Amino acid sequence: MEQTNQGRMILLLIAGIPLTMILAATWLWFFVARGELDIVGALGTANRGELIQPPRQLQDARIRELSGQKFAFSDLEPRWSMVVPGTDGRCDSDCEKSLYETRQIRVAIGRNVNRLRRIYISDTDSENTQFAVTALSDGRAAPNSFTDYLKIEHDSLKVLLLSKEEQRVLFPEQQGDPTTWYLVDPAGWVMMAYDNQVPYKDVIADLKFLLKNSGG
């Protein structure tokens, strides 16, 4: 009986680790939002991106799946997410560059690649999204459909929908600089913004530091 109880306790402890990490991330960013905690300074790093203060919660926006159902970030496996916004019914050169760079950054993370996901949030479903890419990375001609293009070039990308008006609230920095994309923590908080002024290697350095010092 004692061994059975010990076994149950160990299973409960293991199962509680992911939840503990999510709650810890939420607690940390609550104090960051109130200005009571400088997490970047506390961790001893000079981040290269722009720290979002206060952080914004993806769950607060009316994000939808392509099926039209409400998107629940909490249903996803806890991971850090690189989010690229897309507006005006198109994915222009800035949008495509952000998709390409986030893909390459994720690959460059190496053994921690599975701790990162990429999300594209558009105001238009991919079947009706305009894009200007004419060739794939392997030199083949790009398909006419943006949906087909994403399946070929960005097969691990999760595509979601959010109106342009709500994107302005959730991603205001992107309105001023269309090259902006965002880093979201495992609890769904939008915490960092990056643009094309931040060198590729600096973004990787930030991500490696965060992954090393977090449980998500």
Side-chain angles (χ1 to χ4, degrees):
M1 180 65 71
E2 184 177 347
Q3 288 182 335
T4 300
N5 290 335
Q6 289 179 343
R8 288 176 178 173
M9 182 63 68
I10 291 173
L11 287 175
L12 287 172
L13 288 172
I14 293 173
I17 289 174
L19 178 60
T20 300
M21 294 304 178
I22 294 174
L23 292 175
T26 303
W27 178 83
L28 282 174
W29 286 110
F30 172 77
F31 286 100
V32 169
R34 294 180 59 178
E36 297 178 8
L37 176 63
D38 179 7
I39 190 170
V40 175
L43 292 177
T45 183
N47 59 285
R48 283 75 168 183
E50 177 185 351
L51 186 66
I52 304 298
Q53 294 185 320
R56 308 170 198 126
Q57 176 56 247
L58 285 184
Q59 289 282 133
D60 294 340
R62 290 181 291 183
I63 301 174
R64 294 174 289 121
E65 301 277 359
L66 293 179
S67 63
Q69 294 181 331
K70 179 175 174 56
F71 167 70
F73 189 88
S74 57
D75 288 343
L76 298 179
E77 181 182 347
R79 296 182 185 178
W80 291 86
S81 302
M82 294 182 285
V83 176
V84 177
T87 57
D88 296 323
R90 59 192 175 91
C91 183
D92 58 16
S93 58
D94 289 326
C95 164
E96 170 52 28
K97 184 177 180 180
S98 293
L99 290 177
Y100 172 79
E101 288 189 348
T102 53
R103 183 186 70 186
Q104 298 306 102
I105 288 169
R106 182 173 180 270
V107 171
I109 290 299
R111 63 185 178 87
N112 284 318
V113 63
N114 291 326
R115 296 179 63 192
L116 277 174
R117 70 164 60 88
R118 295 188 306 133
I119 300 175
Y120 175 60
I121 300 182
S122 175
D123 62 353
T124 309
D125 66 86
S126 52
E127 281 296 330
N128 295 306
T129 297
Q130 299 178 4
F131 70 114
V133 177
T134 58
L136 301 175
S137 56
D138 61 7
R140 290 181 296 160
N144 294 325
S145 165
F146 188 59
T147 299
D148 293 338
Y149 168 73
L150 291 180
K151 287 179 180 179
I152 297 171
E153 289 287 271
H154 304 283
D155 60 331
S156 64
L157 186 73
K158 184 170 184 59
V159 182
L160 299 168
L161 298 172
L162 183 65
S163 70
K164 182 177 180 178
E165 291 72 22
E166 290 195 79
Q167 286 203 39
R168 287 175 176 170
V169 176
L170 189 59
F171 306 124
E173 297 83 4
Q174 206 262 350
Q175 307 302 314
D177 185 344
T179 68
T180 303
W181 59 272
Y182 297 83
L183 183 64
V184 177
D185 81 357
W189 293 100
V190 182
M191 57 162 289
M192 297 286 289
Y194 293 91
D195 57 38
N196 63 4
Q197 300 300 311
V198 183
Y200 173 89
K201 291 183 179 179
D202 286 351
V203 178
I204 294 174
D206 272 4
L207 288 174
K208 285 185 174 180
F209 183 89
L210 286 170
L211 292 173
K212 179 181 178 181
N213 291 279
S214 73

